Amino acid sequence: MIINARFITSLAKFDINFASHFSEVAFLGRSNVGKSSLINSLCKQKNLAKSSSTPGKTQLINFFEVLCQKNEDKFNIYFVDLPGFGYAKVSKNLKEEWNIHLDEFLKLRTSIKLFLHLIDARHINLEIDKELDGYLKGFIRPDQKILKVFTKCDKLNQSEKAKLKNYFQDAILISNLNKFGLDRLENEIIDQVLGL
């Protein structure tokens, strides 16, 4: 379980001098999919990660130190909140710069053990998400894993949820609004980081 969390720092790009002593969980997804809100929900804090109604608000790579407990053992991990991709309201040049920096960060940051690919449960087959999936699979190492997390599932009816689970067998469905699926995701994150 997650006990508490605190903001550590923000980086504009990969920094060899910012070493990690912990395993890291990277939160990826298109703008406005709910990355910051999910981090707040998992860490049980309202304003830890700044969420905004303006897509593309997160422009830096934000690090949060998270204290976890499994049985009697306590340990720290980092949550890494990454800039959303897609329809962020920024200039083309800035977007290209972001993409270069993110690409470098994701490939060189060896302490990342888990990529959480967040997908809006109402839009499960967007080209942008298929591209991200293929991109991650293109360089993922044997000690890393990708987990698909479908957000905003409170907006689906039962048959839509069933269809989604059928389509993505190992999908985790969550809702920040009614806290649905958060316990399962929390356990999954901890087990993956510990290599269980």
Side-chain angles (χ1 to χ4, degrees):
M1 62 181 280
I2 290 170
I3 299 170
N4 62 35
R6 65 191 181 104
F7 171 74
I8 296 292
T9 191
S10 295
L11 300 179
K13 57 183 177 180
F14 177 75
D15 183 353
I16 196 131
N17 297 313
F18 180 61
S20 178
H21 311 291
F22 312 123
S23 295
E24 295 176 355
V25 179
F27 289 71
L28 297 110
R30 67 190 182 95
S31 301
N32 219 22
V33 76
K35 290 186 303 298
S36 302
S37 301
L38 177 57
I39 289 172
N40 289 337
S41 293
L42 285 169
C43 297
K44 302 157 189 83
Q45 293 185 39
K46 279 198 166 66
N47 299 308
L48 180 68
K50 300 288 181 280
S51 57
S52 165
S53 57
T54 309
K57 191 72 177 164
T58 304
Q59 296 185 15
L60 295 167
I61 300 165
N62 297 313
F63 285 81
F64 303 91
E65 187 179 318
V66 182
L67 176 63
C68 304
Q69 183 169 351
K70 175 86 176 178
N71 302 324
E72 299 305 308
D73 297 327
K74 287 184 181 175
F75 55 94
N76 287 308
I77 60 176
Y78 276 155
F79 278 178
V80 187
D81 189 11
L82 292 152
F85 52 82
Y87 48 78
K89 292 177 182 171
V90 292
S91 72
K92 195 164 180 259
N93 287 353
L94 180 59
K95 204 176 278 190
E96 282 169 9
E97 203 176 294
W98 271 3
N99 290 343
I100 292 164
H101 289 163
L102 279 178
D103 179 58
E104 189 181 48
F105 178 83
L106 291 169
K107 288 176 178 172
L108 297 179
R109 191 79 183 164
T110 54
S111 35
I112 297 174
K113 297 297 176 209
L114 181 62
F115 296 100
L116 288 187
H117 178 186
L118 273 57
I119 300 168
D120 187 321
R122 299 165 299 175
H123 312 289
I124 61 171
N125 282 313
L126 294 180
E127 200 55 45
I128 201 162
D129 283 313
K130 290 177 186 172
E131 283 172 13
L132 178 63
D133 188 56
Y135 163 74
L136 290 173
K137 285 174 178 169
F139 67 84
I140 195 165
R141 302 187 317 265
D143 65 327
Q144 295 176 317
K145 189 175 177 186
I146 304 164
L147 200 57
K148 281 191 171 67
V149 178
F150 293 86
T151 62
K152 308 183 184 184
C153 73
D154 51 279
K155 298 189 165 55
L156 302 183
N157 61 36
Q158 284 310 110
S159 71
E160 287 169 329
K161 282 182 191 170
K163 197 170 153 188
L164 177 59
K165 283 180 184 167
N166 196 35
Y167 200 78
F168 296 97
Q169 301 290 325
D170 53 355
I172 294 184
L173 275 61
I174 60 150
S175 165
N176 289 316
L177 199 64
N178 58 25
K179 308 299 179 215
F180 176 82
L182 291 175
D183 287 348
R184 184 189 162 196
L185 179 58
E186 193 176 322
N187 290 331
E188 194 74 35
I189 289 170
I190 291 169
D191 286 352
Q192 288 301 328
V193 166
L194 293 175
L196 299 174

